[in-house]
Amino acid sequence: MIPFMFATGIENSYPTIENGRLRRDQMEECGHYSNWRHDFALVKDMGIGYLRYGVPLHRVWLGPGRYDWEFSDQAFGELQRLGIEPIADLCHFGVPDWVGNFQNPEFPALFRQYAADFAARYPWIRFYTPVNEMYVCARFSALYGWWNEQQTSPRAYVTAAKHLAQASVMAMQEIARRRPDALFIQSESTEYFHPCTPQAVELAEAINEIRFLSLDLNYGHPLEPSARAFVLDCGMTEEDLRYFERNGMRRNCIIGTDYYVTNEHYIEPDGTRTAAGELLGYTTIARQYYERYGLPLMHTETNRDEGPQGDEASSWLRRQWSMMLSLMHTGVPMVGFTWYSLTDQVDWDDSLRFNRGHVNARGLYDLDRQIRKAGCEYRKLLADWRDRIGPYDELEPDPQVAADHRPDTEAVIDNLRRLLMRVDSHDSGAKAQ
């Protein structure tokens, strides 16, 4: 039995920018290190039972088999004392300096040992997000040139995606050996690309296929012919693909679906991208992921800035909740909902690319730990719905998967390569606005 998970999270991204000279530690920038006990008390006071929470990997993981667990022991110990169930986030957009970046072929095996040691140290933790938003991490780090390795090629992008997915699979294997009932929530950005003209339809279809790459690899889902040809053209091997087909894990997995107003994009025939806003919306896009993999879903991230009218965030919260309910009512197994994050964030309006110190007013609480309107709305939602949604008693994959035909032509592969190499300034990839 899986109880419905009302959740929030502590924003804990830590990519590097400026060619590795600056690490964007959101736990530091948002004041969590100095307020962690207070933050956990706010979670408890609101009645939230689940917290997406990750250790600061760059501070904890000192080298192969070497760790500084002091802060993690205190933090997870307090969560256990308060009865808050952590969804342990093991890798959130960055690695320690000694690992380098996501081009390092040794990263997956190194991370496997870290995950094993983490699970051994905290055997009471059941819920995990081994690697957060693999699709976003690979794009921003190895295609757009914004984070970590700051590369800008399709080959680097595919390499990062491969290593992130391998790390996720290996971590799940190690954790499951130590805790067979562990549940894995693959928090991933659920996106969609809309063609602007008939000439852009083929390109949009191709990139809408590639958005599934990280989860396809993670779950051992066979790649469509065009995607398979693309990744082989960008350096993956048939042996790599066989590894994922043999080892990809679906057992005890939940698809974490992250949706923001910035998740939909317009595509021009030349690959130019611009922000589309909310067109299809969460309900339609999340269903696409369910129909592809047949696994339970959780709404694992959403937010909106509290704007000049004061109700933008709370209205968005009500809308996302209603969309999630509509999926449940049509038979899609939804096991949880998350407003991300507990507090406001810093510089996410530019995806952490620039160290401006701009506060994004999208938390349940502001950085002074004063409740926002979205926090009041979430507290009411919890009170109204907590006893109305029962547990989900099955975690077996639905054998139904999408069988949509995707074109397999050289033109599609060329279009993918062109699109992946183009970044349009009007669609920055920022995760809310």
Side-chain angles (χ1 to χ4, degrees), residues 115-130:
D117 293 341
F118 182 96
R121 190 170 189 88
Y122 306 109
W124 58 276
I125 294 179
R126 186 185 184 194
F127 297 89
Y128 286 87
T129 296

Side-chain angles (χ1 to χ4, degrees), residues 227-418:
R228 188 180 188 93
F230 173 70
V231 299
L232 291 173
D233 188 55
C234 290
M236 284 188 71
T237 66
E238 291 287 355
E239 183 178 353
D240 291 330
L241 294 176
R242 284 193 294 272
Y243 168 83
F244 288 110
E245 290 165 1
R246 290 194 303 266
N247 292 280
M249 280 188 62
R250 292 167 54 84
R251 181 175 60 86
N252 285 12
C253 284
I254 296 166
I255 306 172
T257 49
D258 302 350
Y259 183 82
Y260 297 90
V261 72
T262 52
N263 279 35
E264 299 186 49
H265 319 267
Y266 287 125
I267 293 293
E268 298 283 357
D270 66 354
T272 300
R273 297 183 305 115
T274 52
E278 185 188 24
L279 298 179
L280 296 180
Y282 176 73
T283 302
T284 298
I285 297 175
R287 181 179 290 278
Q288 293 172 355
Y289 285 74
Y290 172 67
E291 290 176 350
R292 188 178 187 88
Y293 302 112
L295 294 169
L297 303 185
M298 179 174 177
H299 200 329
T300 38
E301 282 189 28
T302 196
N303 64 44
R304 191 79 182 261
D305 281 357
E306 186 176 292
Q309 297 181 19
D311 64 351
E312 292 88 345
S314 55
S315 295
W316 181 258
L317 169 58
R318 288 192 296 270
R319 182 173 181 81
Q320 292 303 300
W321 176 256
S322 296
M323 288 187 170
M324 190 217 65
L325 287 178
S326 72
L327 283 169
M328 295 181 71
H329 292 160
T330 58
V332 175
M334 300 294 307
V335 301
F337 180 86
T338 313
W339 183 268
Y340 196 85
S341 51
L342 179 73
T343 68
D344 290 349
Q345 302 168 9
V346 177
D347 285 339
W348 261 110
D349 50 321
D350 271 320
S351 301
L352 306 181
R353 289 179 290 167
F354 308 108
N355 186 27
R356 294 171 172 163
H358 180 241
V359 175
N360 309 129
R362 57 191 59 167
L364 299 173
Y365 295 84
D366 64 23
L367 293 186
D368 292 325
R369 276 52 186 180
Q370 299 300 307
I371 196 165
R372 288 196 175 276
K373 288 185 178 180
C376 295
E377 186 69 28
Y378 199 30
R379 175 179 283 165
K380 182 178 185 301
L381 187 150
L382 288 163
D384 289 345
W385 287 95
R386 180 183 290 109
D387 298 329
R388 298 297 186 93
I389 300 180
Y392 184 70
D393 60 1
E394 297 288 341
L395 200 60
E396 293 297 324
D398 189 319
Q400 177 184 359
V401 295
D404 295 340
H405 173 72
R406 303 293 177 184
D408 181 21
T409 65
E410 288 298 322
V412 172
I413 299 169
D414 289 341
N415 280 335
L416 277 169
R417 192 181 297 110
R418 282 191 296 109

